[in-house]
């Protein structure tokens, strides 16, 4: 207890002394660049729940920070709370250590005097002489920085503590002094104006020479439809955005057909390359939508072949979605045996009719 009271008295004396030191300097404006570092000392208050064997108490700590952007700082803190009361079967005193790494966001970074901030940290707490009390914690917080001088600032912060391993929570309250260094912008040095030269009688200006006639402006070649091909070489000057084009600026298309075994809607290993190639094409031309139409040969009933053709179209869609094509861009339908492309009287013709074909469209 004597150690904690001594530390609190020393911290209060340092804060009062720093305020007096800074009083004469508060009227000046200090500008800091986005990157600077800081180190500091902290007074710590542990606030524990009523049902926690660890009692609320006071301690001390060290802080280091690095401001890497106008609003953002990385912060590391070590907090020690020695001789804390711990209620157990045999009441005792324990040493508590909190190791915290986190990030701060300054809400008003351009306000030189008072800067509120929010913080989020991850911490590890150790409790001496007590089994199974070491734990990882998440610590969200809210605080304010008050500028006392060009480099010295007062820190006030409260952190909530949520254990990741136990049904346990608490809080940490800190007050401290932090010294900032590096990153201060230098004021520009005043430059004595040079004396103005004595006026000299001006000589009469020569007669201006006639200006040459301006050269005719050359036409500027542009890419009106933003497809990467200049208008002078674009054979399709109004290509819709989101379509891959060829060297003449015209949309690239691709045929896609899959064939199936008798009475089957399963894709074979040989279809993988065809599916991957068509999926890559669709992802490179996101303006295209695609309709997948399934077909069957004439063996079996019309109702059976209609259902089988729909399953084949759905299987082709599932394979394309599995390759990363947006589900909303794909429509499926089945035509059954109604649209053969070959003679169903031969095995070869039947094989050609058992298929899924793709039709591209642009909205």
């Amino acid at each position: 207890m004597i150690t904690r009271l001594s530390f609190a008295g020393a911290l209060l004396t340092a804060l009062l002394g720093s305020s007096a030191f800074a009083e004469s300097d508060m009227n000046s404006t200090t500008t800091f660049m986005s990157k600077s570092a800081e180190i500091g000392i902290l007074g710590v208050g542990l606030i524990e729940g009523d049902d926690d064997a660890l009692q609320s108490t006071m301690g001390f700590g060290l802080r280091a920070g690095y401001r890497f952007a106008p609003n953002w700082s990385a912060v590391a803190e070590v907090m020690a709370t020695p001789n804390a009361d711990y209620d157990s079967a045999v009441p005792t005193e324990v040493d508590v250590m909190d190791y915290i790494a986190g990030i701060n966001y300054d809400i008003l970074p351009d306000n030189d005097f008072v800067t509120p901030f929010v913080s989020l940290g991850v911490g590890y707490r150790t409790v001496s002489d007590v089994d199974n009390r070491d734990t990882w914690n998440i610590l969200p917080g809210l605080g304010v920085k008050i500028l006392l001088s060009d480099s010295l600032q007062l820190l006030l912060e409260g952190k909530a503590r949520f254990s990741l391993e136990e049904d346990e929570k608490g809080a940490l309250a800190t007050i401290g002094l932090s010294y900032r260094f590096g990153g201060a912008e230098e004021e520009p040095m005043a430059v004595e104006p040079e004396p103005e030269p004595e006026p000299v009688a001006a000589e009469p200006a020569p007669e201006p020479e006639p200006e040459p006639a301006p050269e005719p402006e050359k036409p500027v070649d542009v890419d009106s439809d933003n497809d990467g091909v200049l208008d002078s070489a674009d054979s399709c000057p109004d290509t819709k955005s989101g379509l891959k084009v060829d060297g003449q600026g015209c949309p690239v298309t691709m045929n896609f057909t899959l064939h199936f075994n008798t009475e089957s809607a399963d894709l074979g290993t040989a279809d993988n390359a065809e599916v991957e190639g068509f999926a890559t094409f669709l992802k490179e031309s996101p303006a295209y939508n695609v309709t997948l139409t399934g077909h069957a040969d004439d063996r079996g009933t019309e109702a059976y072949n209609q259902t089988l053709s729909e399953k084949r179209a759905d299987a082709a869609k599932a394979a394309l979605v599995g390759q990363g094509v947006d589900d909303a861009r794909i429509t499926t339908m089945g035509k059954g045996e109604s649209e053969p492309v070959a003679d169903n009287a031969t095995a070869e013709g039947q094989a050609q009719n058992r298929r899924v074909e793709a039709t591209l469209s642009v909205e």
Side-chain angles (χ1 to χ4, degrees):
M1 178 66 71
I2 294 176
T3 302
R4 292 198 292 269
L5 292 176
S6 300
F7 173 78
L11 178 60
L12 180 60
T13 302
L15 292 176
L16 293 175
S18 299
S19 300
F21 169 79
E23 183 175 356
S24 62
D25 194 44
M26 288 305 297
N27 293 328
S28 64
T29 300
T30 302
T31 302
F32 280 80
M33 296 172 62
S34 61
K35 294 183 179 180
S36 60
E38 61 178 89
I39 56 175
I41 58 173
L42 302 171
V44 182
L46 263 61
I47 304 171
E48 303 300 322
D50 293 336
D51 55 349
D52 196 328
L54 180 62
Q55 301 299 298
S56 301
T57 186
M58 296 177 60
F60 56 90
L62 298 175
R63 166 192 173 95
Y66 178 69
R67 186 178 184 182
F68 56 86
N71 297 71
W72 296 94
S73 301
V75 177
E77 296 171 322
V78 178
M79 302 178 186
T81 309
N83 304 323
D85 292 331
Y86 193 88
D87 290 340
S88 59
V90 179
T92 185
E93 290 185 342
V94 297
D95 296 332
V96 181
M97 295 292 297
D98 286 288
Y99 306 89
I100 302 171
I103 194 164
N104 289 4
Y105 178 82
D106 292 346
I107 300 174
L108 300 172
D110 295 328
N111 188 343
D112 282 337
F113 178 52
V114 177
T115 303
F117 65 90
V118 293
S119 64
L120 181 63
V122 176
Y124 186 73
R125 167 171 287 188
T126 64
V127 180
S128 67
D129 302 322
V130 179
D131 294 334
N132 300 321
R133 276 306 301 257
D134 295 354
T135 181
W136 286 96
N137 304 282
I138 294 293
L139 299 105
L142 181 66
V144 63
K145 295 183 284 190
I146 302 174
L147 192 64
L148 302 178
S149 70
D150 287 351
S151 301
L152 194 64
Q153 59 185 358
L154 174 66
L155 296 170
L156 301 170
E157 185 180 10
K159 301 178 189 285
R161 182 178 65 82
F162 300 95
S163 173
L164 295 178
E165 303 171 20
E166 302 287 343
D167 185 14
E168 173 200 355
K169 56 184 179 293
L172 293 169
T174 59
I175 179 173
L177 288 173
S178 178
Y179 180 82
R180 296 193 300 185
F181 56 92
E185 293 182 346
E186 296 182 358
E187 296 289 338
M189 296 180 61
V191 178
E192 292 290 336
E194 296 183 0
E196 296 183 1
E198 296 181 1
V200 178
E203 296 182 0
E207 291 292 330
E209 297 182 0
E211 296 183 1
E215 296 182 2
E217 294 185 1
K218 297 180 180 180
V220 178
D221 203 355
V222 297
D223 180 10
S224 302
D225 55 3
N226 296 315
D227 61 358
V229 179
L230 296 177
D231 288 355
S232 61
D234 199 337
S235 299
C236 301
D238 298 319
T239 302
K240 182 178 177 64
S241 177
L243 295 178
K244 186 177 180 180
V245 299
D246 57 21
Q248 286 72 47
C250 294
V252 176
T253 61
M254 182 176 181
N255 294 323
F256 178 65
T257 303
L258 298 176
H259 292 92
F260 295 82
N261 292 328
T262 302
E263 298 185 12
S264 173
D266 297 329
L267 298 179
T269 304
D271 297 316
N272 291 342
E274 189 79 14
V275 171
E276 291 177 4
F278 192 56
T280 299
F281 165 76
L282 290 176
K283 288 185 283 187
E284 291 176 347
S285 293
Y288 274 133
N289 292 327
V290 61
T291 298
L292 299 175
T293 306
H295 300 272
D297 60 34
D298 65 353
R299 290 178 294 174
T301 67
E302 289 186 8
Y304 175 81
N305 288 332
Q306 176 63 33
T307 300
L308 182 58
S309 66
E310 293 171 0
K311 290 181 178 180
R312 287 170 175 169
D314 291 339
K317 176 179 178 178
L320 291 173
V321 171
Q323 291 292 323
V325 180
D326 186 357
D327 177 273
R329 297 173 59 195
I330 305 174
T331 303
T332 62
M333 67 173 63
K335 292 290 186 176
E337 62 188 57
S338 63
E339 295 182 359
V341 293
D343 188 356
N344 276 310
T346 66
E348 292 79 5
Q350 292 169 356
Q352 294 182 52
N353 292 331
R354 297 190 299 269
R355 71 194 190 279
V356 167
E357 295 177 326
T359 303
L360 297 173
S361 62
V362 179
E363 292 184 358

